[in-house]
Amino acid sequence: MVPVAASAPEVLAIATFVRERFNEERQAALDRRVEANISATEGMDMSQRDRVRLDCPFLEAGKCTVYEVRPIACRGYSSYSVEDCREDFEHPGTGVEGHTNGLRELVFGAIREGLAIACKSASVEHRLLELVRAYKIASEDSTLAETWRSRPEAFETATGESVFPGPWSDELDQEFEEVYRETVNDLERKKGTA
């Protein structure tokens, strides 16, 4: 599994989905896979984790069990080349460049950035979270979906330089907000002239 980044709303949607749709036995099996994934990657940076390539804990018999609520990252990444995927899988962390669907990646990137900007604007967790660690947090607290907005520290152990050095920084947040404002202003100007 390539480490997956997700937003707090995405993680909370997955945890809610699992609570509502999985029976106790299936939840317990998922919890064991999540624990095994975290244990196997403890103390590793992102490049080390990328080379480990564990199965995603959300897979059962090769199928995504949370497909309906899978993160945007999982929805947006795809490759045109089976050979590239096979080479990357067999030689993880060696920099194999996959031929991806650029338009799809552009759209998923814009959606992810939009989610981050919306969360930041609402003064809630806006950083990208490492999916497996964030899910563990959300799965252990059934009230988190209702209370996370008032608990800025709730996902602290699923982010940060040591866990998931995502691309979000104060400078990038400011840059995204400026781009967002410019885009909104451009759209309003165009709307006014139409």
Side-chain angles (χ1 to χ4, degrees), residues 79-91 96-99:
S79 175
Y80 289 130
S81 171
V82 172
E83 292 80 22
D84 289 348
C85 290
R86 185 175 295 117
E87 180 72 17
D88 185 51
F89 179 78
E90 291 173 359
H91 305 286
V96 173
E97 187 173 329
H99 296 85

Side-chain angles (χ1 to χ4, degrees), residues 1 22 27 36 39 58 64 84 87 99 103 115 119 126 128 139 157 160 162 164 169 191:
M1 154 184 180
F22 286 33
Q27 281 186 38
S39 293
F58 295 103
C64 180
D84 289 348
E87 180 72 17
H99 296 85
L103 179 58
L115 257 172
C119 287
H126 64 281
L128 289 174
S139 70
T157 58
S162 64
F164 190 77
S169 65
K191 194 166 103 178

Side-chain angles (χ1 to χ4, degrees), residues 12 124 141-155:
L12 293 167
V124 295
D141 184 347
S142 62
T143 67
L144 194 55
E146 292 82 34
T147 63
W148 73 282
R149 290 175 213 74
S150 62
R151 295 170 56 194
E153 77 294 344
F155 288 107

Side-chain angles (χ1 to χ4, degrees), residues 22-35 57 60:
F22 286 33
N23 63 29
E24 284 184 35
E25 182 179 320
R26 200 168 176 210
Q27 281 186 38
L30 173 59
D31 291 345
R32 286 190 298 276
R33 292 191 303 270
V34 165
E35 284 296 332
E60 282 179 3

Side-chain angles (χ1 to χ4, degrees), residues 71-137:
I72 292 166
C74 298
R75 293 170 190 261
Y77 186 82
S78 62
S79 175
Y80 289 130
S81 171
V82 172
E83 292 80 22
D84 289 348
C85 290
R86 185 175 295 117
E87 180 72 17
D88 185 51
F89 179 78
E90 291 173 359
H91 305 286
T94 60
V96 173
E97 187 173 329
H99 296 85
T100 60
N101 182 329
L103 179 58
R104 179 180 259 177
E105 284 192 25
L106 178 67
V107 170
F108 110 75
I111 292 169
R112 184 161 67 182
E113 290 167 14
L115 257 172
I117 290 168
C119 287
K120 176 123 173 104
S121 297
S123 299
V124 295
E125 180 62 73
H126 64 281
R127 297 171 294 179
L128 289 174
L129 307 171
E130 195 273 328
L131 175 62
V132 177
R133 285 166 172 78
Y135 170 78
K136 181 178 189 302
I137 294 165

Side-chain angles (χ1 to χ4, degrees), residues 51-69:
R51 287 190 293 272
V52 172
R53 297 294 168 95
L54 302 170
D55 284 345
C56 175
F58 295 103
L59 293 178
E60 282 179 3
K63 295 189 183 202
C64 180
T65 60
V66 295
Y67 189 81
E68 294 172 51
V69 292

Side-chain angles (χ1 to χ4, degrees), residues 166-178:
W168 302 109
S169 65
D170 290 338
E171 295 82 23
L172 272 177
D173 286 340
Q174 185 175 0
E175 184 180 317
F176 285 129
E177 287 176 21
E178 289 170 11

Side-chain angles (χ1 to χ4, degrees), residues 10-20 69 134-135 138-139 141:
E10 293 173 291
V11 172
L12 293 167
I14 292 169
T16 299
F17 181 87
V18 168
R19 264 188 216 98
E20 291 173 353
V69 292
Y135 170 78
S139 70
D141 184 347

